[in-house]
Amino acid sequence: MTPNAVRERKLADWLRESESVLIGFSGGVDSSYLAAVAVETLGAERTLGAIGRSPSLPAAQWATAREIAASIGLPLEEVDTREMDDPDYAANPSNRCYFCKSELWSRLVPLARERGLAAVVDGSNADDLTDYRPGATAAAERGVQSPLALLGITKAEIRALSRARGLPSWSQPSAPCLASRIAYGTPVTMERLGQVERAEAALRRLGIEGDLRVRHDGEIARIELQQGILDHWLVPDRSRLLVRAVRGAGFPRVVIDLRGFRSGSLNVLHGLVPG
Amino acid sequence: MTTEAFARELEGLGVSCGVELRGRVAMIVVSEESAAAIVAGRRQEIVELAKGYGFATAALELTGDAALLRD
C-alpha cells in the first residue's frame, strides 16, 4: 500500500468512527476531497455539505462548488451568512477570519444538530497549521474538527489523492475568500470585494491560470501571479493588458509583485508570520 | 532614507526610478518602458536586494508612466 493510500485509509477510518458528518464545503481542493471520501465511506445519507453564501465568495467559486458537489453525489445545503453586518469583521482587523468563521459555524453547527449529524468538520489541512489562521480558533471553539490536518495530510498529498480519484478539483488553485485580498485595517465593503472579484475575473479572461491574487491596497491593486508565468506578463506589451484589465475594475494604480504569488502574503506584510 | 538607498542601488543596475514605500512593499516607479524591461529582466536580483533592505517584497508599478497606459 502506498503512503497516500495509507493516509486515505486512515481518513476513512476516522470518518467511519464519526458515523455522520456535516462538512463546511467550499468546492476547493481540500473540502472537495474530504467530501468525496466521506460520501464514499459513510454514504450520502450520512454526509451533508454546507456552503456559506457570502459576498466574499466569488460567484465563479460558488458555481464550481455546486458542480463538484453534484459530481461526487454530495447533498449540499446553502446557508446565508451575515458577517458583513458584524462591525468587528467589517473593520478588517488581522483576526478578521475569526469573526467570519464564528458567523459561519454559528449557523452550520446548529444545522448539523438539527439534521442529527454527529460531527462537524472542515477541510483545513496539515499545511494550514503553519500559517496564521485565526479562523481555526473560531472552529475549535465550536467543536469543529479538521481531520485532514489532524491526520497530517498536506495540500500536495490532497492534490495527489484527488487526482487519483479523478476529482476535477485536484489542480484547482487555492481559493480563499475575496476579503483576504484587502489589506488589514482597510474596511471590508461590498464595493471593495466587487473590485477584487472583477479585477481577478478580468485577468482570468486574459488567459491567466493557476494561483492569482489582486491585493487591494486603497487606490492600488497589487497583482500576484505564479512564478512560472510572471516573466511572461512583465513584458511591457503584455503588462499593458494587465493594466487595462485591472483599471477596468476601478483601481487607478496597478503594480505587479516581483516575488509573485505567495499564499498568505498579507500576513507576511503585517509581520504576522515570517517571510 | 532606505527607499532612497534602494533606488540608488537600482540605478546602479541601470534602472532609473523612484521608490515608494507602501507598508513593507517597495514600489518601483519607472518613467520609461526600457527601465520597466530592465526591472523585469532582473526580477530575482531586485527582489533579493529589496529583502536585504528589510522590505517584504518589491513591486513594479505599471501605471507610473503614461506611455504604459496607451492602447
Side-chain angles (χ1 to χ4, degrees), chain A residues 143-185:
Chain A
V144 177
Q145 300 178 82
S146 306
L148 297 170
L150 196 69
L151 297 170
I153 305 177
T154 66
K155 189 80 158 191
E157 290 159 356
I158 293 166
R159 287 192 189 280
L161 286 159
S162 298
R163 186 177 195 179
R165 283 181 162 268
L167 292 176
S169 52
W170 79 268
S171 60
Q172 198 174 297
S174 299
C177 77
L178 293 169
S180 69
R181 274 67 146 182
I182 301 175
Y184 293 132

Side-chain angles (χ1 to χ4, degrees), chain A residues 180-203:
Chain A
S180 69
R181 274 67 146 182
I182 301 175
Y184 293 132
T186 300
V188 178
T189 63
M190 296 293 279
E191 185 192 353
R192 291 186 176 118
L193 293 173
Q195 278 182 287
V196 171
E197 184 169 18
R198 288 195 303 278
E200 292 190 359
L203 293 175

Side-chain angles (χ1 to χ4, degrees), chain A residues 231 240 253-254 257 259, chain B residues 20 33 43 56-57 61-62:
Chain A
D231 291 332
R240 276 189 216 113
R253 296 176 70 186
V254 183
D257 193 310
R259 279 184 79 179
Chain B
E20 178 183 336
E33 280 195 3
R43 182 171 63 81
T57 187
E61 174 149 19
L62 302 175

Side-chain angles (χ1 to χ4, degrees), chain A residues 5 42 69 71 81 87 93 118 139 149 163 176 193 199 203-205 217 228 237 245 252 258:
Chain A
L42 302 172
S71 74
T81 60
R163 186 177 195 179
L193 293 173
L203 293 175
R204 293 284 185 209
R205 285 195 294 275
D217 188 5
D237 276 351
L258 297 176

Side-chain angles (χ1 to χ4, degrees), chain A residues 72-125:
Chain A
I72 60 177
L74 174 73
L76 186 64
E77 188 91 12
E78 298 180 10
V79 179
D80 288 325
T81 60
R82 305 257 177 245
E83 69 275 10
M84 293 292 285
D85 297 340
D86 178 355
D88 287 326
Y89 168 86
N92 199 13
S94 59
N95 64 341
R96 178 199 64 243
C97 294
Y98 173 83
F99 301 106
C100 178
K101 295 298 183 189
S102 292
E103 163 67 7
L104 176 70
W105 297 121
S106 74
R107 293 180 186 275
L108 300 194
V109 171
L111 176 65
R113 269 195 226 111
E114 187 188 308
R115 301 293 172 87
L117 297 165
V120 180
V121 298
D122 72 6
S124 299
N125 64 59

